[in-house]
Each structure stands twice: as C-alpha cells, then as structure tokens.
Amino acid sequence: MGEVVKVGMADLNICKSPDVITTLGLGSCIGIAVYDSVTKVGGLAHIMLPDSTKIKNNTNIAKFADTGIEELIRRVVAAGASKSRLVAKIAGGAKMFEVSGLSDVGNIGARNAEASKAKLKELGIPLLAEDTGLNYGRTVELHCDTGEFYIKSVGKPLKII
C-alpha cells in the first residue's frame, strides 16, 4: 500500500496506484470517487451542498456538487485518466438530524446525493455503486490500485463497493 491522501470537508484531491485517498466523517455530505481502471488514477471530492448557484460567496468550488464534480474530473484527467473510462461511486448523504416539517436542513443529504448523480449523468460518467442515505456517518477510502471504495461506519461491518 502506498501513501494515504486525506481530503478534508469541502475539499477534493486525486491519487494514483498504489495510493489510497480518504475522507472522514461524511454525514449529510457526499464523498464522490471517480476512477480510471486502466491508468489507476482516481479522485475524491467531499461535497457539502448541492448547488453553487444558490449561494453568493461560492469561492470554494469543492464545497458544491455541481462545481466540485467538474473540478474533480478536470484534475483526474490532467493526471492521466481518460474521461471516457471514468466511473464513479458515491457514499454519504445521510439524514443526520430529525427535523420537523419540510425543512431543507433535514433533507440536505438526499439533495446532495441527487445533485451528485445528476451532475455525473450530465458529464456522462457512469455511477457504478452508491451507499447513501440512512442516519449514520461514513468514512470512505478509494483504493487506487483496485478501484475499490471502502465504507466504514461506527458499529457496522466494512462495506466495499
């Protein structure tokens, strides 16, 4: 196993085999992994909100599904991945708080998941697998040697998608 590349909240990065890229504590946020199995170049974004166009000070492109996914794709392609070979896996989008009524706050995880899927579809990147929703946090790792996406949650068995 190579280096472990850490991605913070509202952040993104890329990795190449044999490295692993990880982000901790995805609650309502979504971890989006993209991967090219031929060059073994991958990337991971930790997005917090679905849509940058709804916010005035949106200088952090990695924070939003729309701009974060575009930037992630740009960076993995710059690192040697082929856009036509990229596949995606996503995790997170939990409903972390019970909110009464139809508040956007309680629903942000689901909206993040939907926005992420819509953006991947728009960019023509197939979504191979997802582990989203429910009410618990997740830590994820993309293993760039295999393309496996590890999902770890407290009190739950390791899931590999």
Side-chain angles (χ1 to χ4, degrees):
M1 190 161 122
E3 299 285 310
V4 175
V5 180
K6 289 198 163 43
V7 172
M9 224 167 160
D11 188 15
L12 54 86
N13 211 330
I14 59 166
C15 77
K16 294 180 183 175
S17 177
D19 297 349
V20 171
I21 189 166
T22 183
T23 192
L24 310 174
L26 291 166
S28 60
C29 299
I30 295 270
I32 299 143
V34 294
Y35 184 69
D36 175 342
S37 62
V38 174
T39 57
K40 298 196 183 299
V41 171
L44 183 65
H46 181 144
I47 63 115
M48 294 174 68
L49 294 167
D51 186 356
S52 66
T53 61
K54 302 274 196 295
I55 311 237
K56 294 248 185 345
N57 299 337
N58 56 4
T59 49
N60 182 351
I61 51 177
K63 191 173 190 173
F64 306 96
D66 55 351
T67 49
I69 292 172
E70 280 179 5
E71 177 65 11
L72 184 64
I73 303 307
R74 194 185 68 71
R75 288 208 204 165
V76 293
V77 168
S82 164
K83 185 168 183 266
S84 64
R85 283 194 303 257
L86 286 178
V87 293
K89 296 177 182 181
I90 66 172
K95 188 170 185 174
M96 299 303 285
F97 309 101
E98 276 309 316
V99 182
S100 57
L102 295 171
S103 160
D104 275 351
V105 176
N107 193 24
I108 192 78
R111 285 175 38 231
N112 280 339
E114 280 161 28
S116 299
K117 289 183 209 175
K119 190 64 186 183
L120 288 165
K121 191 170 186 182
E122 179 193 316
L123 295 170
I125 293 166
L127 179 65
L128 293 191
E130 66 176 292
D131 182 42
T132 57
L134 303 175
N135 62 348
Y136 54 86
R138 296 165 173 91
T139 289
V140 297
E141 295 173 354
L142 174 63
H143 290 247
C144 283
D145 53 345
T146 61
E148 289 177 329
F149 200 35
Y150 286 51
I151 296 143
K152 300 173 178 179
S153 304
V154 176
K156 306 216 178 308
L158 171 68
K159 189 184 256 188
I160 301 175
I161 61 173

